[in-house]
Amino acid sequence: MEVRARELTHSELRLLDRGNWVLFLAHQPPERLVVFVHGFRGGPVASWRQFQLGGQRSNWWRATDLLFVGYASERDTILGVSNRLRQALPDFYPYLPDELVEPSRGPAVRPTHGKYEELVLVGHSLGGVVVRRLLCDAAEEWLGELETDPSTPRPPILDASLALFSPASAGFRPGGSLGMLRALPLWTYINVYLRRSTAYSDLQPSSVFLRETRRRTEAALAGNRSAELKGLRANILWANPDDVVLTERYSSDRPDRSADNTTHRSVCKPDAAYDLPWDFVEGA
Amino acid sequence: MGNGERVIDPASFRTRAFAMFWDGMLRHLPRSRGSLRLRLRSPQLYDLLTLEADRWLELGVEIGYFTAEPSSFLRRHGDTETFFSMAPAAQSPLDFQSEVAHAQETLSVPHFEMLQLLHFAGGEEWSVRLDQVRAFASALERQPLWRPDPEWLEAVQWALGDEQIEEHVNPAFWRLGGLGRYGFGTAHEQVSERVMALGQLRAWIAEVVEQAVVLEVAAEESPLSGGLVWLARLFQMDPEGGEDR
C-alpha cells in the first residue's frame, strides 16, 4: 500500500454554466480524466462520498482529474442526459481548457496541463445506463461513418474504460419500488416516486430502451472493429445484497464482482473502511 | 501550454473558485423567480448566505484551505462569528474540503425558497404555503396512486427537499437552526414552530408514500391486491379528489 498523502491533492471547481458539474483538479499534471455519473436524484459529489480523496491513497488518483456530472434525474430522460454528456465531453477530454485550471486569469491550480492519456467513465445505478447508452451511441455513429469513409478516426470518447457500480442496465427488480424505498434516502425516494420520471419508467425490466441499448452494444462488439470498442465492455461491481436492480450483465461485459455487505446505495461510496471502489475504478 | 507569468497557488485557486460559485448562485437566483414563483422579497436571505460564505472563507483560511486575500469579491460583513459561532467539525483541510463541497451542493432553488419561508416569511404567507403542502399531503392520502402534475409539485418542492444539512455543524448549520436569537428574521421560537410543523407534514407525506408503494408492489404480485389498486384508481377519478390540485 502506498503512503497516504495527508495533504490536499485536488482542488474543487464548480461549473455553474454546466448546470451543476464539479471538477476536482489534481495539483500535479494529470494523466487521466475520470467522469462520474450519479443515479436517481444523486448529488454530483455527495453520491460518491469521498471519491475525491483518492489522492490520499495512490499515485494513480493523484494523477487523476475527477469530473462529477450533475443532472436532474427526476426531469431528464436517460437519452437526454446521455446525449448532453456525449456532446459536452469533448470540451473536457482529451484536452481540458486552460480557463478551468486558471479561471479568470487568477492563480492556477497546477503548472501545466497537456493531453490526457486515459478516460474512465463511472456510473452508478441509473448513471450506469446513461454511460452505457453514451458509448453505444458513440460507437454506432463511428461505425456508420466508417462505412462511407474507412479512414474516419475513432472519436476520443471511445478511448474510455467503463466502471459501473450496480448499474440498472437490466432494470429494477420486480417489486423494486420497495427495494428503492429501503435503499435510497427516504426523501430521495419520495421525490423519485412522486415525479415518476421518464427515466424511472425506462428502468422497468420490460423497457424497450434497456433492451435496445443492450442489443446495440452487443451487436457493435460482435463486429470486426470490436478490438477498438473495448470501452463498451463494462467492468461491474455489484452491491451484495442489492434489493433494487437486477444483477444481470451483458454477455459482452467483463467478468463482474460483488462487494459483500454493501447496499445499492453504499456500493459506490468509498471511505477509510471501504476502499474497494477506489481500487475498482483504478483497475477498470 | 503554460506561460512564464502563471502563478501556481492551489489555495488561492480554491478561494477564487469558491467565491465565483457562491456569487454565481446568488446572482442566478433572481432570474429563476418567474418560472419558479419564488418570492425572495427579503434581501436578508442574500445577506445571510453571503455571511455564510464569508464564514466559510474565514474558517478555510484558519485551517489552511483558503487564502486570505482581497481577491474574494464577496461583500465583507465583518463580525460573522456573531451568527456562525459554532465550532466546525472539520479539523483538517481534507475534512474541510468535504464539508464545504457538501454545503455548496445543498444550495438549490427549492432550498433557498425553504430558507426564505422558514426564516423571513410573514405569518400569512407562511400559512398559505404550508396549507398548500397540507392539501398536497391530503390529496396523496385520498388517492394513493395519484400522479401530481408538475406545476403542483413545483409549488411544494420547497417542502420536499432531501438535503441533510442538519447533520453538519458548520457555517451551513444556521439554515435549519433559526436566527431569531440574533435579531434576524422571524423570532427563534416561531422558526422552531415552523420547522416542527413542516416536519409533521413531511412525516405524513412519507407515511402515505410508503403505503402507496406497498400497495403497488402487492398489486404486481397478487391479483387480489391488484383489485385493490383498481379500486384506488377509481378513487383517483373522484371529482372531489381533484379540487386540491
Side-chain angles (χ1 to χ4, degrees):
Chain A
M1 175 175 292
E2 296 181 43
V3 176
R4 287 176 182 271
R6 294 184 184 280
E7 61 186 28
L8 288 168
T9 58
H10 292 74
S11 288
E12 176 186 359
L13 178 68
R14 292 194 167 247
L15 308 175
L16 268 177
D17 59 342
R18 296 281 178 178
N20 197 9
W21 294 19
V22 187
L23 259 172
F24 275 86
L25 294 159
H27 294 174
Q28 69 181 60
E31 296 171 10
R32 69 192 61 81
L33 177 67
V34 178
V35 180
F36 294 83
V37 184
H38 63 74
F40 269 116
R41 277 188 72 85
V45 178
S47 292
W48 306 95
R49 194 144 66 194
Q50 297 185 3
F51 247 113
Q52 72 273 17
L53 302 183
Q56 304 303 306
R57 300 187 71 251
S58 74
N59 280 326
W60 192 90
W61 283 103
R62 280 193 281 279
T64 299
D65 281 346
L66 295 81
L67 174 61
F68 295 92
V69 172
Y71 63 101
S73 58
E74 69 274 21
R75 288 198 305 269
D76 292 337
T77 64
I78 300 174
L79 185 63
V81 181
S82 167
N83 283 340
R84 191 185 313 143
L85 186 55
R86 186 153 65 98
Q87 288 163 7
L89 269 183
D91 296 340
F92 296 87
Y93 180 88
Y95 294 100
L96 193 72
D98 263 358
E99 60 263 28
L100 296 182
V101 179
E102 191 183 25
S104 304
R105 297 180 178 275
V109 72
R110 60 185 175 225
T112 58
H113 174 65
K115 184 181 179 185
Y116 290 121
E117 297 168 8
E118 189 181 359
L119 173 66
V120 184
L121 300 180
V122 183
H124 172 233
S125 191
L126 168 64
V129 184
V130 169
V131 291
R132 276 201 192 270
R133 185 61 177 232
L134 179 159
L135 288 174
C136 166
D137 285 345
E140 279 198 336
E141 186 176 354
W142 179 54
L143 293 173
E145 288 170 355
L146 284 175
E147 288 179 8
T148 53
D149 179 4
S151 65
T152 305
R154 190 180 67 165
I157 204 169
L158 291 174
D159 296 348
S161 302
L162 188 56
L164 305 180
F165 293 92
S166 279
S169 39
F172 292 140
R173 284 182 179 280
S177 298
L178 269 182
M180 282 184 79
L181 182 58
R182 293 189 202 107
L184 296 177
L186 178 62
W187 282 93
T188 297
Y189 178 79
I190 288 173
N191 278 279
V192 169
Y193 177 83
L194 290 175
R195 290 180 180 273
R196 276 295 201 265
S197 64
T198 306
Y200 186 90
S201 306
D202 279 343
L203 293 186
Q204 301 309 310
S206 58
S207 153
V208 172
F209 185 90
L210 292 183
R211 191 171 64 237
E212 279 300 293
T213 303
R214 175 173 187 164
R215 184 189 64 76
R216 291 163 56 189
T217 299
E218 291 175 344
L221 286 166
N224 57 8
R225 306 300 292 252
S226 62
E228 294 161 273
L229 299 173
K230 61 180 183 178
L232 274 66
R233 298 186 190 280
N235 300 273
I236 299 178
L237 182 66
W238 299 106
N240 180 28
D242 193 316
D243 296 330
V244 179
V245 296
L246 290 166
T247 50
E248 290 293 332
R249 62 183 174 88
Y250 295 179
S251 58
S252 53
D253 288 339
R254 300 178 191 285
D256 47 10
R257 303 167 60 184
S258 294
D260 292 341
N261 303 314
T262 60
T263 65
H264 183 75
R265 181 182 166 203
S266 70
V267 66
C268 65
K269 294 177 170 58
D271 58 26
Y274 172 56
D275 56 8
L276 180 56
W278 282 307
D279 291 340
F280 171 66
V281 172
E282 186 174 337
Chain B
M1 117 187 197
N3 62 56
E5 298 173 0
R6 173 176 280 177
V7 176
I8 312 301
D9 185 348
S12 185
F13 171 92
R14 288 191 292 271
T15 309
R16 195 172 182 83
F18 174 85
M20 286 169 61
F21 169 78
W22 211 278
D23 187 67
M25 282 298 296
L26 295 183
R27 286 175 192 273
H28 173 76
L29 277 171
R31 293 200 297 272
S32 303
R33 282 186 202 177
S35 62
L36 289 162
R37 298 185 300 180
L38 279 180
R39 280 176 271 187
L40 299 177
R41 288 192 293 267
S42 166
Q44 290 169 302
L45 181 61
Y46 290 93
D47 289 346
L48 275 166
L49 286 162
T50 308
L51 274 171
E52 181 189 327
D54 279 345
R55 186 62 178 144
W56 280 113
L57 286 167
E58 287 175 356
L59 293 173
V61 170
E62 287 173 21
I63 214 162
Y65 187 81
F66 292 133
T67 52
E69 57 180 58
S71 69
S72 166
F73 42 81
L74 293 168
R75 287 172 289 166
R76 303 302 301 182
H77 288 256
D79 188 15
T80 57
E81 281 195 70
T82 304
F83 305 101
F84 307 96
S85 55
M86 49 291 277
Q91 298 296 315
S92 72
L94 284 171
D95 294 336
F96 188 86
Q97 183 177 56
S98 296
E99 289 203 20
V100 79
H102 191 270
Q104 291 175 100
E105 199 140 302
T106 53
L107 290 180
S108 65
V109 172
H111 186 58
F112 275 77
E113 189 169 18
M114 184 196 73
L115 294 176
Q116 167 69 19
L117 289 168
L118 282 181
H119 294 291
F120 301 114
E124 185 180 346
E125 182 180 15
W126 168 254
S127 296
V128 168
R129 299 305 300 274
L130 198 69
D131 282 347
Q132 278 185 317
V133 180
R134 190 174 289 114
F136 180 84
S138 176
L140 268 180
E141 186 175 53
R142 284 200 310 274
Q143 312 157 66
L145 301 182
W146 175 45
R147 295 290 165 263
D149 62 56
E151 192 177 326
W152 197 350
L153 268 173
E154 197 173 87
V156 298
Q157 189 58 49
W158 66 272
L160 307 179
D162 44 9
E163 297 87 0
Q164 296 177 350
I165 59 171
E166 63 274 22
E167 294 176 2
H168 298 261
V169 180
N170 59 37
F173 191 71
W174 72 271
R175 299 184 206 166
L176 287 183
L179 289 161
R181 74 185 74 173
Y182 304 120
F184 263 84
T186 314
H188 177 61
E189 294 74 18
Q190 197 168 339
V191 172
S192 298
E193 286 172 12
R194 290 179 177 186
V195 169
M196 189 178 298
L198 181 59
Q200 287 170 348
L201 279 182
R202 282 167 62 93
W204 182 14
I205 292 171
E207 186 181 350
V208 168
V209 168
E210 285 185 53
Q211 289 171 354
V213 171
V214 169
L215 188 65
E216 276 196 2
V217 171
E220 289 175 20
E221 295 173 349
S222 127
L224 178 61
S225 300
L228 288 175
V229 173
W230 182 80
L231 282 173
R233 286 188 194 280
L234 277 184
F235 281 121
Q236 256 183 281
M237 291 184 272
D238 180 353
E240 289 184 6
E243 288 180 0
D244 286 333
R245 302 190 196 191

